[in-house]
Amino acid sequence: MAFPGWKRHAPQPTLDRLGELLGNVRSAGLTVSAHTTGEPAHLTPGIELSAFRIIQEALSNATWYAPGAEVRVEAGHRPSAGTFRIADTAPTRTAQPSPGAGHGLLGMWERAAVLRGTLAFGATSDGGYEVIAMLPTQLPAMPADLVEDNP
């Protein structure tokens, strides 16, 4: 039963939808390739969503700041962590001013940090840019000082 004013929402994206995301980026004009190493682990929905959103934001940044660049998305899977690298080459055209507020890198960093993962980003030696996120395959345990004792 639907309640008036409520909208149905699609499920949150997972890495299974990475191909669809890459297709959207390609239709926006970027050349994108994807490479995977290792056997993907079963990730919790929160970790899957964070990985997808980090990749999505990095690709969005490449679209805005590196027009004409080639982008490579790499996913490396290990039993304890997944590493996601999104790297673009130097842009071939001048970037237009960004319409956003410029909080994408902070948002990616926060997504990784809340999972006790890491995020690194910066310019590459060939004039491109890269974002590297390492996320655990399991949610971290709650720190003991945050767990309430219930006698």
Side-chain angles (χ1 to χ4, degrees), residues 5-130:
W6 287 24
K7 296 181 181 179
R8 292 186 178 260
H9 295 283
Q12 293 295 318
T14 63
L15 293 174
D16 290 340
R17 292 184 51 198
L18 186 58
E20 179 184 336
L21 174 62
L22 297 179
N24 291 338
V25 173
R26 287 182 187 111
S27 68
L30 283 182
T31 301
V32 182
S33 63
H35 305 275
T36 301
T37 58
E39 185 66 32
H42 175 73
L43 303 175
T44 66
I47 294 171
E48 285 263 353
L49 178 61
S50 290
F52 184 90
R53 294 292 189 215
I54 288 169
I55 295 167
Q56 183 179 42
E57 180 63 31
L59 289 170
S60 176
N61 286 351
T63 301
W64 281 106
Y65 300 114
E70 293 182 18
V71 182
R72 181 176 171 105
V73 177
E74 300 172 356
H77 300 281
R78 297 188 323 268
S80 62
T83 301
F84 305 94
R85 179 178 183 259
I86 305 87
D88 59 66
T89 60
T92 61
R93 299 187 305 271
T94 303
Q96 298 297 314
S98 172
H103 300 294
L105 290 172
L106 176 61
M108 287 187 277
W109 181 85
E110 288 173 341
R111 283 185 183 277
V114 78
L115 298 171
R116 294 202 189 134
T118 61
L119 186 89
F121 50 85
T124 60
S125 61
D126 65 356
Y129 201 83
E130 70 181 351

